[in-house]
Amino acid sequence: MNQIITITTEFIRLDALLKLGGALDTGGQAKFVIQNGEVLVNGEICTMRGKKMRDGDFAEYNGVRYTVRVTEG
């Protein structure tokens, strides 16, 4: 499954992306799964919760891909 996350800023942090996409309910939960190596960013494990996700980047968690799309606000 692929979910497009549309933002109007230059980037979104990885933990905020997962929360915005509904993958997790809280930032604390997002921090936990990221630091445990459960999240892939652009196909590779990423343990940096503050990773800047830009247009076209994607994160994968629990079988769902969250792709960032930037639009003019």
Side-chain angles (χ1 to χ4, degrees):
M1 181 175 164
N2 189 29
Q3 189 172 342
I4 305 297
I5 306 299
T6 303
I7 60 172
T8 57
T9 55
E10 179 185 350
F11 64 86
I12 185 171
R13 288 171 38 134
L14 177 57
D15 56 354
L17 175 71
L18 293 175
K19 187 176 171 191
L20 183 63
L24 299 151
D25 294 330
T26 68
Q29 290 172 335
K31 173 185 172 183
F32 183 78
V33 299
I34 293 165
Q35 290 180 336
N36 276 350
E38 298 176 41
V39 178
L40 299 179
V41 171
N42 299 329
E44 296 185 8
I45 292 173
C46 180
T47 57
M48 297 171 31
R49 75 177 203 227
K51 169 85 175 153
K52 292 179 180 177
M53 303 291 290
R54 301 178 190 277
D55 189 52
D57 286 341
F58 61 90
E60 294 175 87
Y61 172 70
N62 207 21
V64 180
R65 179 180 283 198
Y66 302 89
T67 304
V68 177
R69 287 288 175 253
V70 175
T71 61
E72 303 233 353

